[in-house]
Amino acid sequence: MSREYAPVPGKWYENKEEEETFRVLSVDEDEELVEIEYLDGEIEELDLDTWHELDLEPTEEPEGWSDEADGDDEEEEEDEDDDDFDDDDEDDDDDDDDDDDDYDDEEDDQY
């Protein structure tokens, strides 16, 4: 029995015939295209006619699913934080160099 469900961005579906789970990324009504992402990260575009031919069933987000797009954002934020930290280190290094020069001058004065 064929089931027809409208593609909804962010919702998960199981293709019963292929036993594949995917989520809808976007729906372009003008172009009649549905962009989907499989669990392995592969992205595919389907036309609406193909979508309606699929034997689909809505499903829950799979356990352990990691949205790579979100993970990339977090890594970029961490990198930015690291960059900020590195900048601080460079400033500290400059200050340390100045302190070392002062220290060397004091040592010279003692001799």
Side-chain angles (χ1 to χ4, degrees), residues 14-73:
E14 181 179 356
N15 180 342
K16 302 302 263 179
E17 194 173 297
E18 301 292 327
E19 297 182 2
E20 292 181 312
T21 301
F22 61 87
R23 71 175 172 159
V24 174
L25 296 177
S26 65
V27 179
D28 185 334
E29 297 288 340
D30 295 332
E31 298 289 326
E32 296 186 350
L33 291 175
V34 179
E35 185 177 39
I36 63 173
E37 179 180 17
Y38 294 98
L39 288 173
D40 65 1
E42 180 183 344
I43 295 176
E44 182 178 356
E45 282 188 347
L46 306 172
D47 60 57
L48 283 176
D49 290 337
T50 302
W51 173 271
H52 291 297
E53 291 173 7
L54 298 175
D55 186 14
L56 299 175
E57 186 167 301
T59 188
E60 296 295 317
E61 179 179 306
E63 272 189 47
W65 167 253
S66 172
D67 188 355
E68 292 180 20
D70 290 343
D72 290 345
D73 290 344

Side-chain angles (χ1 to χ4, degrees), residues 69-111:
D70 290 343
D72 290 345
D73 290 344
E74 288 175 14
E75 287 178 17
E76 286 176 16
E77 288 174 13
E78 288 177 13
D79 289 345
E80 288 173 9
D81 291 344
D82 289 346
D83 290 343
D84 291 343
F85 185 73
D86 291 343
D87 290 343
D88 292 343
D89 283 349
E90 290 174 12
D91 291 342
D92 289 345
D93 289 345
D94 291 341
D95 292 342
D96 290 346
D97 291 341
D98 292 341
D99 292 344
D100 289 343
D101 291 341
D102 292 341
Y103 183 74
D104 291 341
D105 290 343
E106 290 174 11
E107 284 183 359
D108 290 341
D109 292 341
Q110 290 177 358
Y111 294 107

